[in-house]
């Protein structure tokens, strides 16, 4: 086991303001994907610990929701500052457990912290309204109140930001939270709790139950009538399962699910800009983001030139561990991820695609993979329909705008889409025709705290970040004031 010397390292569950071991003493190993070394042994929370966490969140709710929005905001602002003061330490933990290169890990911490900063302010602008009443002697108004106890389940690919994108609005709204982080990356979540406690988040407001048995923890969270909302980020498959499990207790749902983003390069595009955009949209986090370009559609007139320039740029990407500051492509998260990338490549090649660069595990061995480009990809291949979630860029040729839109929308997903064009008429037509929740236009990096993040179709429900993100943690209550006529007025 490698020595992780971080003051933010915790290896127990965090329940009701206490660091607690699993009742049966069980632990699970967290490994560094860059070398397979065990970096921590974390308490393996299960159903019993989850029930305790729900109870703690329920008990903490009245006092937390009774605080003013400004009081909660001041605590969140302290948490934000602590995250940024500890950016390096948080990034190092994140890179250790997820493999993200240093620069990207530092970026994720700033991105994650921005949601705490943003919702510290948004919480103070939760407004009600008065509504002109159609009947005399009455007045109508609305107020907004916190949903209550929230369950949050998050993925391994952004172990910090996917948590703060939920916990930020939840706490700002006056809710309390039980969080199950991914078992691959619990350390970032537990480190956030260390700083939350230091910022003044009261015991029971934020509870973290790391565990290998996700189904057991999720089962307790979804079946509990105390939990009034589930916020999930992860695969569409699991999202559907949790949606069904939540039906019995009619929970509010926020679902941030799988993607299959098209990245379209038209004949009139700035090709150098499109290449840089494709690098960002495809290879960020080694292709392991939900908004990664999963299919690169290139118009026939620029197909060969774009392929050549993208290949030159991809071959310059440095693959390596986060311990090397120059690394730009880290390891994939596990062997299953490597196997899926290889399967998509093999399937494409067997159906007529050809390899431009990469195509196999990297010479560094283990979970490192060569950034890969395939050309002459078509709709008969798995990679055109399935989310690869790895550093493989399939180039698909199209001939006209109608064809590009048809190909782009030919998926059950609808999270992100990107296209490059300098024709304003085309930009409006294509942006409005694409079936996705978010569209990058001449831009490959679209995620930030102020914009509504989320998808349509089977990519999810609701939006995170932006002025919309806090609404999912609030209930609107309608107040009707009667009997206001003057005496004798009836
Ligand atoms: N839309 C977004 O914002 C977004 C962000 C990141 C990842 N994702 C998607 O997530 C997927 C990759 O992440 P992943 O492999 O961690 O996804 P995943 O669905 O396998 O796991 C996500 C979380 O759900 C938990 N989980 C798994 N089975 C469960 C069950 N039966 N009950 C309760 N919880 C369960 C996991 O432990 C993890 O914490 C990709 O499809 C990616 O597109 C989407
Ligand atoms: O994987 C999906 C995350 O939402 C990534 S990001 O928000 O685009 O950075």
């Amino acid at each position: 086991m490698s020595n992780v010397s971080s003051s933010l390292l915790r290896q127990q569950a965090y329940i009701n303001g206490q660091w607690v071991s699993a009742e049966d003493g069980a632990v699970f190993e967290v490994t560094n994907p860059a070398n397979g070394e065990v970096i921590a042994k974390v308490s393996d929370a299960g159903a019993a610990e989850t029930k305790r966490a729900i109870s703690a969140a329920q008990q903490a709710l009245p006092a937390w929701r009774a605080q003013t929005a400004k009081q909660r905001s001041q605590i969140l602002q302290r948490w934000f500052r602590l995250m940024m003061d500890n950016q390096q330490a948080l990034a190092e933990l994140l890179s250790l457990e997820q493999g993200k290169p240093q620069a990207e890990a530092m970026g994720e911490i700033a991105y994650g912290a921005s949601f705490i900063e943003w919702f510290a302010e948004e919480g103070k602008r939760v407004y009600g309204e008065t509504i002109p009443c159609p009947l005399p002697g009455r007045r109508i108004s609305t107020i907004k109140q916190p949903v209550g106890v929230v369950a949050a389940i998050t993925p391994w690919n952004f172990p910090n930001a996917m948590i703060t994108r939920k916990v930020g609005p939840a706490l700002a709204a006056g809710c309390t939270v039980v969080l199950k982080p991914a078992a691959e990356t619990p350390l970032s979540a537990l480190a956030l709790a260390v700083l939350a406690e230091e910022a003044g988040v009261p015991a029971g407001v934020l509870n973290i139950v790391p565990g290998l048995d996700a189904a057991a923890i999720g089962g307790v969270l979804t079946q509990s009538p105390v939990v009034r909302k589930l916020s999930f980020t992860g695969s569409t498959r699991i999202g559907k399962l949790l949606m069904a499990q939540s039906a019995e207790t009619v929970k509010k749902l926020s679902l941030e699910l799988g993607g299959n983003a098209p990245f379209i390069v038209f004949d009139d595009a700035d090709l150098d800009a499109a290449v840089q955009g494709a690098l960002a949209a495809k290879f960020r986090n080694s292709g392991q983001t939900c908004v990664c370009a999963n299919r690169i559609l290139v118009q026939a007139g620029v197909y060969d030139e774009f392929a050549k320039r993208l290949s030159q740029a991809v071959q310059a990407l440095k693959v390596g561990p986060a311990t090397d500051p120059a690394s730009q492509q880290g390891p994939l998260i596990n062997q299953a991820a490597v196997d899926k990338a290889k399967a998509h490549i093999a399937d494409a090649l067997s159906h007529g695609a050809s390899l431009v660069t990469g195509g196999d595990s990297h010479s560094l061995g283990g979970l490192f993979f060569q950034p890969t480009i395939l050309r002459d990809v078509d709709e008969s291949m798995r990679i055109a329909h399935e989310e690869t979630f790895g550093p493989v860029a399939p180039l698909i040729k199209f001939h006209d705008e109608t064809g590009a839109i048809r190909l782009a929308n030919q998926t059950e997903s609808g999270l992100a889409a990107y296209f490059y064009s300098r024709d304003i008429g085309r930009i409006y037509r294509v942006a409005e025709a694409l079936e996705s929740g978010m569209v990058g236009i001449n831009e490959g990096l679209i995620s930030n705290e102020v914009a509504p993040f989320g998808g349509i179709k089977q990519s999810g429900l609701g939006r995170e970040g932006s002025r919309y993100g806090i609404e999912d943690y609030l209930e609107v209550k309608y107040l009707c004031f009667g009997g206001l006529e003057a005496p004798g007025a009836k």
Side-chain angles (χ1 to χ4, degrees):
M1 179 166 165
S2 65
N3 294 322
V4 179
S5 61
S6 167
S7 62
L8 297 178
L9 176 66
R10 294 295 183 279
Q11 302 181 81
Q12 293 176 294
Y14 182 67
I15 300 174
N16 201 25
Q18 302 295 316
W19 297 99
V20 296
S21 299
E23 290 180 8
D24 61 5
V27 295
F28 65 93
E29 293 181 345
V30 181
T31 57
N32 179 349
N35 56 24
E37 284 186 6
V38 176
I39 55 178
K41 293 184 180 181
V42 173
S43 298
D44 191 3
E49 292 79 10
T50 305
K51 289 172 184 171
R52 284 167 51 193
I54 292 171
S55 175
Q58 184 181 28
Q59 288 164 21
L61 180 62
W64 182 243
R65 65 182 290 169
Q67 292 210 28
T68 67
K70 184 165 185 177
Q71 289 169 326
R72 293 195 294 265
S73 172
Q74 288 167 337
I75 292 170
L76 291 176
Q77 287 170 29
R78 283 199 294 271
W79 194 15
F80 162 71
R81 286 191 295 273
L82 284 166
M83 284 182 69
M84 294 311 293
D85 291 347
N86 291 274
Q87 185 181 10
Q88 182 73 37
L90 289 169
E92 285 170 359
L93 267 183
L94 192 155
S95 290
L96 264 178
E97 63 178 355
Q98 197 263 332
K100 204 163 277 179
Q102 282 182 28
E104 284 194 42
M106 289 288 281
E108 181 180 342
I109 302 305
Y111 176 51
S114 73
F115 289 108
I116 302 301
E117 181 189 37
W118 173 259
F119 285 108
E121 284 305 311
E122 285 298 287
K124 295 190 288 186
R125 294 168 182 80
V126 173
Y127 300 139
E129 60 187 340
T130 57
I131 301 168
C133 184
L135 300 173
R138 293 173 176 79
R139 295 293 182 271
I140 292 176
S141 68
T142 64
I143 59 173
K144 290 182 180 177
Q145 295 180 305
V147 167
V149 174
V150 171
I153 299 177
T154 53
W156 51 262
N157 65 335
F158 285 81
N160 178 287
M162 295 304 96
I163 292 172
T164 57
R165 204 161 74 178
K166 298 174 186 305
V167 175
L171 268 53
C175 298
T176 55
V177 176
V178 178
L179 164 68
K180 190 210 82 66
E184 297 86 344
T185 56
L187 305 183
S188 296
L190 298 171
L192 280 170
V194 173
L195 300 178
E197 189 175 51
E198 189 176 340
V201 174
V205 171
L206 173 62
N207 304 274
I208 303 177
V209 286
L212 276 182
D213 192 345
I217 295 171
V220 171
L221 292 172
T222 50
Q223 288 155 25
S224 169
V226 171
V227 173
R228 294 311 316 135
K229 175 182 174 69
L230 170 68
S231 183
F232 171 73
T233 295
S235 64
T236 297
R237 180 177 72 85
I238 300 302
K240 290 179 177 178
L241 175 72
L242 295 172
M243 192 174 186
Q245 289 178 203
S246 299
E248 183 61 31
T249 50
V250 192
K251 288 181 178 32
K252 279 176 84 83
L253 291 173
S254 292
L255 299 175
E256 292 287 353
L257 305 180
N260 182 1
F263 184 103
I264 309 170
V265 182
F266 286 101
D267 278 343
D268 63 303
D270 174 336
L271 284 192
D272 287 334
V275 166
Q276 291 309 309
L279 278 184
K282 175 66 255 185
F283 294 98
R284 179 162 67 105
N285 199 20
S286 298
Q288 301 172 118
T289 92
C290 56
V291 291
C292 272
N294 202 60
R295 298 163 291 151
I296 300 184
L297 315 178
V298 186
Q299 197 158 12
V302 294
Y303 188 88
D304 293 337
E305 182 59 23
F306 179 81
K308 184 181 83 174
R309 293 191 200 182
L310 182 63
S311 176
Q312 290 166 346
V314 166
Q315 289 177 51
L317 289 172
K318 179 172 174 46
V319 178
T323 47
D324 177 351
S327 295
Q328 296 169 297
Q329 292 285 290
L332 303 193
I333 190 67
N334 54 33
Q335 188 57 44
V338 171
D339 294 345
K340 185 172 189 182
K342 288 184 175 179
H344 276 187
I345 293 167
D347 173 77
L349 296 178
S350 70
H351 286 87
S354 51
L355 194 60
V356 176
T357 185
D360 205 343
S361 290
H362 192 271
S363 56
L364 285 172
L367 300 175
F368 290 96
F369 202 83
Q370 299 170 23
T372 297
I373 300 174
L374 297 167
R375 62 167 294 150
D376 306 323
V377 173
D378 64 36
E379 299 169 74
S380 69
M381 303 166 191
R382 284 180 58 189
I383 199 167
H385 304 283
E386 299 172 10
E387 184 180 38
T388 305
F389 227 59
V392 184
L395 304 185
I396 301 171
K397 188 181 293 183
F398 71 89
H399 294 281
D400 56 32
E401 198 174 295
T402 305
I405 295 298
R406 182 188 66 78
L407 280 170
N409 290 338
Q410 196 176 56
T411 168
E412 292 169 350
S413 299
L415 190 59
Y418 310 86
F419 69 94
Y420 279 72
S421 167
R422 287 175 289 190
D423 177 317
I424 190 65
R426 167 170 288 164
I427 284 173
Y428 268 93
R429 292 192 302 272
V430 174
E432 291 169 359
L434 288 170
E435 296 171 356
S436 72
M438 303 175 282
V439 182
I441 301 160
N442 298 321
E443 179 53 65
L445 281 176
I446 59 176
S447 306
N448 55 66
E449 75 280 13
V450 305
F453 190 105
I456 62 173
K457 300 200 284 188
Q458 297 193 28
S459 284
L461 296 172
R463 292 297 182 269
E464 294 193 321
S466 79
R467 66 185 182 87
Y468 300 97
I470 200 168
E471 296 300 328
D472 282 354
Y473 295 89
L474 295 165
E475 292 286 9
V476 176
K477 181 177 281 181
Y478 152 44
L479 308 179
C480 182
F481 299 86
L484 303 179
E485 306 90 339
K490 280 185 179 178

